[in-house]
Amino acid sequence: MFEELWVAAEHVRALDERVRGLVTGLFITGSVPLGDYWPGRSDIDFVAVMDRSPTAEERGRLANAHLALPEGGPVYDGIYLTRAQLAAPPVEGDTAPQILAGDFSPAKAGGQLNPVTWLELARHGLPILGERPEVALDSDVLRRWLLDNLSGYWANFAVNAMPQFAALPPDMAIPAEPVLWAVTGPGRLHYTLATGEVTTKTGGAQHTAEILPQWADLCERAIRSRAGEDVPFTAADGVASLRLIADVVTAAHP
């Protein structure tokens, strides 16, 4: 776990140099505490906790703190939330500073500003700095968000990507990434709907294979690819992965 803790320690150092006292808690979430982190392939996610909202100047310093992190490390994504925000379920229209794929936004809605982040922090957040804050969990808010994300983002992703894959020769080789994204993502949401818990991308694929056994082979291949095995994928697999999404969305809306 050296790589994961190293980047978090560098983050704490950069924050201390630029906005000392603003961030009073830092927790690693996602694949690291859930045991599905693959060096060189997985991102590292964090939730930073503040006692108050940052000023405009401090938001700029937060962005500079991320620019100061050493290059060449893992993708380091996260969100800055106040204790007051975490003490209530996330509400539509709220914003928070976030960094996603290297893009820092001082006031961004969406992204990690959702009830799954609340759930991950409360149940599995790995403490790096400070004590775990009070986190409000609302099962109704969580369920609505999960259903909306499945019928919105994921259903639209499948519809929009289908013409691109369908236009290719079925046996044409394609990169693994879009197949893995489609096969692992929606199953994670369905798992949380079914259990009230969070799971990893690998766990999402395993869950999909259990509830939709017609996709078990594709899920198993995606799991092996995520673990580092050289598994080939074709345009036909791309089409199949989008049909899998549609089936997961249907299964979530009986």
Side-chain angles (χ1 to χ4, degrees):
M1 196 178 285
F2 173 78
E3 182 181 55
E4 306 92 285
L5 297 182
W6 168 78
V7 70
E10 287 295 307
H11 186 198
V12 171
R13 178 193 58 76
L15 292 171
D16 191 51
E17 290 178 352
R18 290 160 178 80
V19 284
R20 178 172 297 180
L22 175 66
V23 174
T24 56
L26 182 67
F27 300 83
I28 300 298
T29 58
S31 61
V32 173
L34 291 172
D36 193 35
Y37 179 79
W38 298 93
R41 293 188 296 278
S42 297
D43 298 344
I44 297 177
D45 300 314
F46 72 86
V47 175
V49 181
M50 306 174 294
D51 293 340
R52 59 172 177 79
S53 298
T55 65
E57 180 185 13
E58 288 171 329
R59 290 195 295 269
R61 293 180 182 179
L62 288 176
N64 289 334
H66 286 279
L67 292 175
L69 296 181
E71 297 180 0
V75 174
Y76 187 61
D77 290 338
I79 186 169
Y80 292 81
L81 296 165
T82 66
R83 294 182 185 274
Q85 284 177 302
L86 289 165
V91 296
E92 186 176 354
D94 200 3
T95 62
Q98 298 182 59
I99 183 164
L100 295 172
D103 178 25
F104 183 87
S105 175
K108 184 173 183 178
Q112 295 190 45
L113 189 59
N114 66 69
V116 173
T117 296
W118 268 236
L119 182 62
E120 287 192 25
L121 174 61
R123 300 272 177 84
H124 304 287
L126 177 65
I128 302 298
L129 172 70
E131 297 182 359
R132 194 181 311 277
E134 177 185 351
V135 181
L137 301 180
D138 186 310
S139 58
D140 291 335
V141 171
L142 176 64
R143 180 174 180 80
R144 285 196 300 272
W145 185 87
L146 292 166
L147 290 171
D148 287 347
N149 195 260
L150 281 167
S151 60
Y153 170 82
W154 283 108
N156 291 333
F157 174 83
V159 169
N160 293 333
M162 183 63 79
Q164 303 174 44
F165 285 121
L168 301 174
D171 59 351
M172 178 179 175
I174 64 171
E177 285 74 16
V179 177
L180 299 189
W181 180 251
V183 171
T184 63
R188 298 178 72 187
L189 274 64
H190 192 285
Y191 178 88
T192 302
L193 275 171
T195 68
E197 254 293 354
V198 293
T199 190
T200 63
K201 291 179 179 178
T202 297
Q206 291 170 336
H207 178 70
T208 297
E210 292 173 1
I211 64 170
L212 298 169
Q214 67 269 32
W215 298 117
D217 177 69
L218 182 60
C219 291
E220 187 268 337
R221 291 167 58 214
I223 290 169
R224 288 193 287 115
S225 176
R226 177 166 167 74
E229 188 174 331
D230 185 15
V231 179
F233 292 99
T234 65
D237 292 320
V239 170
S241 71
L242 302 179
R243 290 175 176 161
L244 176 151
I245 292 175
D247 284 353
V248 175
V249 172
T250 298
H253 296 80

